[in-house]
């Protein structure tokens, strides 16, 4: 119980740090989008409002319900409470699921802790979008799938299958309602897992019954029926996900036909991070995690093939989940390199779900290695060393997941005076643009504070090409610092062009030099 409390404390402190790092004044793309999506659903009082979120509706409905029950404002929920909720859900459902698959509470606790060492996953559950719940339901679906396949002694097989099958179907439906794309990718992962187990001839070596695979196949078939039902009848806007999957499949076929890459989203590393060497150090654990997980997966399959009837068949099932998710990740990299019009960097979106199964494989690999080598020093020394390594990895993970200015050139935080300046500008301008810096920090911050994008046909310019063309510019200590990092000074505006000043942030205006300028 003490160890579980320590995991909960770790999760709470991680979420709290994310909030306190910017004193609750932070925003980013998905948080800004869902700020609008939730507001639109509240105003329209329907799951299909004008300009809906096309991938799902459940998160907006759930958030609206939470706001109604608690009396919280939408801004406070997204910026103050959502990160803590996401980290707590990750810890709780990670531990419960791993405990069932690993049959060791200690290993499950360590595996759930390892999740917090992966900044990509951490950022996914801390920000204000639906993924804190899609990650949770993915873990829950895997847990329910295992419970369905393992009836307790003396239980009625029919009652057991109906009960847990209904629970799993409800979980599938909720996952699809949150985001049909991620619901579909989990079903693809489940389908691939069964194929991998069949190809590896695992059923023969584990002496799994015919009923086992018939039940698993029925789950997969039922899951795809639920996807079709949601796609065609429950939430028609989600049909855009079908186009996304079709496009991704076509891109993958192009890759198999040896078409050359037309786009490389991974080059952003060169500019988005302040120090490439430091970035490689911070992200080095991902390669250790994936490498260890791959090795352990191969060892698991080899062990089960050599020892027919081995009792811990749940571990090979978990290894199958990891192998299946890794196949999807490899396909996503190929799709990214060929350019996916419906989105960008598909690998980033799928990597978090690969980590869910890489973490327990990593723990099992460490256990294997520790049994074969002798580490000098007593238990106290080894424990202190492991704790020190964990602290370093956790610190680097938190730095990257919060996009700390020490590491990242793209910042999350903003100052209220900046939003006050932009709001004043929008009230006195129409069909105009203002330069707010090269990153989109202020664009998303304005949505976080105001709930809408800039009104009156105005626009916030945040690209190098628009820096010179914009007639106005926002100047603040944060924008000056960030522009300096990007080696982009403000447009050449005279001090006399300062038309607004609230003491911290200013609005600068370029005097028109000809009749064609404004």
């Amino acid at each position: 119980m003490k160890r579980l409390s320590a995991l909960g404390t770790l999760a709470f402190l991680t979420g709290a740090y994310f909030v306190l790092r910017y004193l609750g004044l932070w925003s980013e793309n998905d948080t800004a989008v869902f700020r609008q999506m939730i507001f639109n659903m509240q105003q329209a009082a329907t799951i299909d409002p004008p300009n809906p979120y096309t991938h799902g509706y459940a998160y907006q409905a759930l958030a609206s319900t939470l706001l109604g029950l608690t009396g919280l404002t939408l801004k406070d929920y997204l910026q103050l409470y959502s990160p803590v909720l996401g980290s707590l859900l990750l810890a709780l459902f990670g531990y419960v699921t791993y405990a069932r698959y690993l049959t060791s509470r200690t290993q499950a606790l360590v595996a759930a802790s390892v999740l917090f060492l992966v900044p990509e996953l951490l950022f996914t559950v801390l920000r204000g979008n639906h993924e804190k719940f899609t990650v949770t339901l993915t873990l829950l679906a895997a847990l329910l799938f295992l419970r369905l396949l393992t009836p307790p002694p003396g239980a009625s097989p029919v009652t057991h299958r109906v009960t847990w099958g209904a629970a799993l179907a409800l979980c599938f439906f909720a996952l699809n309602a949150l985001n049909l794309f991620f619901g579909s990718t989990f079903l693809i992962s489940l389908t691939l897992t069964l194929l991998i187990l069949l190809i590896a001839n695992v059923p023969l070596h584990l002496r799994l019954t015919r009923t086992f695979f018939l039940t698993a196949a029925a789950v997969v078939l039922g899951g795809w029926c639920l996807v079709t039902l949601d796609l065609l009848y429950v939430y028609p806007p989600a049909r855009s996900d079908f186009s996304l999957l079709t496009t991704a499949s076509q891109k993958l076929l192009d890759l198999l036909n040896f078409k050359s890459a037309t786009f490389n989203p991974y080059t952003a590393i060169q500019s988005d991070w302040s120090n490439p060497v430091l970035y490689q150090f911070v992200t080095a654990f991902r390669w250790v995690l994936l490498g260890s997980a791959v090795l352990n997966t191969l060892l698991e399959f080899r062990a089960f093939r050599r020892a027919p009837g081995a009792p811990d068949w749940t571990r090979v099932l978990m290894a199958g989940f990891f192998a299946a998710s890794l196949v999807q990740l490899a396909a996503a990299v190929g799709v990214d390199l060929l350019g996916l019009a419906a989105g960008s960097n598909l690998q980033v979106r799928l990597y978090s779900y690969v980590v869910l199964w890489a973490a327990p494989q990593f723990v099992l690999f460490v256990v294997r290695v520790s049994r074969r080598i002798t580490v000098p020093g007593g238990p106290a020394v080894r424990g202190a060393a492991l704790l020190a390594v964990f602290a370093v990895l956790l610190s680097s993970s938190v730095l990257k997941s919060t996009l700390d200015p020490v590491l990242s050139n793209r910042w999350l935080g903003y100052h209220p005076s900046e939003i006050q300046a932009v709001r004043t500008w929008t009230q006195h301008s129409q069909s105009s643009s203002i330069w707010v810096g090269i990153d989109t920090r202020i664009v998303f911050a304005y949505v976080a504070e105001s709930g809408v994008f800039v009104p009156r046909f105005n626009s916030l310019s945040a690209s190098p090409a628009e820096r010179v063309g914009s007639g106005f510019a926002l100047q603040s200590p944060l924008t000056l610092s960030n522009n300096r990092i990007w080696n982009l000074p403000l447009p050449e505006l005279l001090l006399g062009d300062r038309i607004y000043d609230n003491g911290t942030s200013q609005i600068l205006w370029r005097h028109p030099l000809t009749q064609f300028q404004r």
Side-chain angles (χ1 to χ4, degrees):
M1 190 64 184
K2 290 183 178 180
R3 294 180 179 179
L4 186 58
S5 299
L7 177 62
T9 302
L10 170 66
F12 176 80
L13 292 178
T14 302
Y17 177 83
F18 187 87
V19 174
L20 296 175
R21 174 62 183 86
Y22 303 107
L23 300 179
L25 300 174
W26 65 272
S27 189
E28 50 82 45
N29 179 69
D30 278 25
T31 304
V33 167
F34 278 95
R35 174 76 159 85
Q36 279 206 307
M37 296 297 105
I38 296 171
F39 179 77
N40 290 345
M41 181 175 286
Q42 289 176 324
Q43 294 298 306
T46 174
I47 65 171
D48 189 13
N51 190 27
Y53 178 66
T54 58
H55 304 295
Y57 61 89
Y59 180 60
Q60 302 89 289
L62 178 60
S64 299
T65 303
L66 288 175
L67 296 180
L69 292 174
T70 61
L72 294 173
T73 64
L74 180 53
K75 176 181 180 298
D76 286 346
Y77 163 71
L78 290 175
Q79 294 182 306
L80 301 181
Y81 297 97
S82 176
V84 178
L85 176 63
S87 59
L88 288 174
L89 288 175
L90 178 66
L92 174 62
F93 282 86
Y95 171 75
V96 172
T97 302
Y98 297 153
R100 193 73 183 185
Y101 274 88
L102 294 173
T103 66
S104 168
R105 293 187 177 183
T106 300
Q107 291 178 4
L109 192 67
V110 175
S113 301
V114 168
L115 296 177
F116 288 85
L117 305 183
V118 184
E120 293 81 6
L121 174 61
L122 208 52
F123 181 71
T124 293
V125 300
L126 290 175
R127 61 182 179 166
N129 70 352
H130 61 82
E131 289 197 69
K132 56 179 56 61
F133 292 107
T134 52
V135 167
T136 297
L137 288 183
T138 297
L139 290 168
L140 179 60
L143 175 61
L144 294 175
F145 179 68
L146 182 61
R147 291 300 302 268
L148 176 64
L149 297 178
T150 53
S156 169
V158 175
T159 302
H160 176 84
R161 292 188 193 116
V162 170
T163 302
W164 290 103
L168 183 57
L170 183 62
C171 184
F172 276 155
F173 186 84
L175 186 57
N176 292 333
L178 280 167
N179 188 288
L180 189 65
F181 174 77
F182 287 113
S184 300
T185 55
F186 176 75
L187 281 174
I188 292 173
S189 180
L190 190 58
T191 305
L192 290 174
T193 298
L194 296 181
L195 291 176
I196 290 171
L197 295 180
L198 286 171
I199 292 173
N201 207 16
V202 170
L204 175 63
H205 291 279
L206 293 183
R207 298 174 182 173
L208 298 179
T209 63
R210 180 185 177 191
T211 305
F212 176 96
F213 264 83
L214 287 177
T215 303
V219 168
V220 171
L221 180 61
W224 284 114
C225 289
L226 286 175
V227 169
T228 305
L229 177 68
D230 189 79
L231 194 69
L232 297 180
Y233 301 106
V234 177
Y235 194 61
R239 293 172 186 173
S240 62
D241 281 329
F242 180 75
S243 300
L244 176 61
L245 291 172
T246 303
T247 304
S249 302
Q250 184 59 51
K251 295 291 184 182
L252 189 58
L253 289 175
D254 291 342
L255 182 67
L256 296 177
N257 290 330
F258 302 101
K259 286 192 176 182
S260 59
T262 59
F263 176 67
N264 188 356
Y266 311 121
T267 56
I269 293 176
Q270 304 295 328
S271 59
D272 285 358
W273 305 98
S274 59
N275 189 321
V277 176
L278 181 60
Y279 172 82
Q280 294 299 334
F281 171 78
V282 169
T283 58
F285 180 68
R286 76 161 68 172
W287 304 113
V288 176
L289 178 69
L290 289 177
S292 302
V294 169
L295 289 174
N296 189 77
T297 298
L298 295 175
L299 292 173
E300 289 286 355
F301 279 110
R302 188 183 70 170
F304 280 108
R305 287 178 64 86
R306 290 184 175 183
D312 294 335
W313 63 270
T314 56
R315 284 169 48 176
V316 78
L317 179 61
M318 188 169 55
F321 273 127
F322 172 70
S325 60
L326 201 61
V327 169
Q328 290 189 82
L329 182 67
V333 172
V335 171
D336 284 341
L337 292 176
L338 288 174
L340 182 60
S344 62
N345 217 337
L346 189 62
Q347 172 262 145
V348 169
R349 298 181 181 275
L350 294 182
Y351 176 69
S352 296
Y353 298 84
V354 175
V355 171
L356 297 179
W357 301 112
Q361 296 301 317
F362 168 77
V363 172
L364 291 175
F365 182 78
V366 171
V367 171
R368 286 177 184 270
V369 173
S370 63
R371 290 172 178 172
R372 294 177 177 270
I373 62 175
T374 302
V375 180
V381 175
R382 293 195 293 268
L386 289 175
L387 188 60
V389 172
F390 182 85
V392 171
L393 293 176
L394 179 63
S395 300
S396 62
S397 176
V398 170
L399 276 177
K400 186 174 185 293
S401 62
T402 56
L403 298 184
D404 196 283
V406 172
L407 179 64
S408 175
N409 291 337
R410 296 192 180 274
W411 300 350
L412 295 178
Y414 62 91
H415 193 273
S417 66
E418 295 176 304
I419 308 305
Q420 180 185 355
V422 173
R423 186 179 290 121
T424 302
W425 173 80
T426 61
Q427 293 172 353
H428 297 85
S429 297
Q430 185 168 346
S431 303
S432 187
S433 65
I434 182 172
W435 165 254
V436 295
I438 190 172
D439 66 358
T440 51
R441 180 179 62 89
I442 298 298
V443 178
F444 303 139
Y446 184 87
V447 177
E449 290 287 337
S450 304
V452 295
F453 284 98
V454 182
R456 295 166 56 88
F457 302 101
N458 292 309
S459 63
L460 304 183
S461 303
S463 69
E466 295 172 317
R467 183 175 65 90
V468 178
S470 298
F472 299 87
L474 172 68
Q475 178 174 285
S476 71
L478 286 176
T479 56
L480 288 173
S481 298
N482 192 251
N483 287 333
R484 192 177 301 115
I485 289 174
W486 290 95
N487 295 318
L488 282 173
L490 282 171
E492 295 180 0
L493 300 174
L494 299 177
L495 183 62
D497 293 326
R498 182 178 300 179
I499 60 174
Y500 172 86
D501 192 337
N502 58 31
T504 303
S505 301
Q506 300 82 38
I507 299 293
L508 306 181
W509 174 58
R510 179 187 293 107
H511 285 291
L513 301 179
T514 71
Q515 60 179 337
F516 302 105
Q517 296 178 346
R518 290 191 299 172

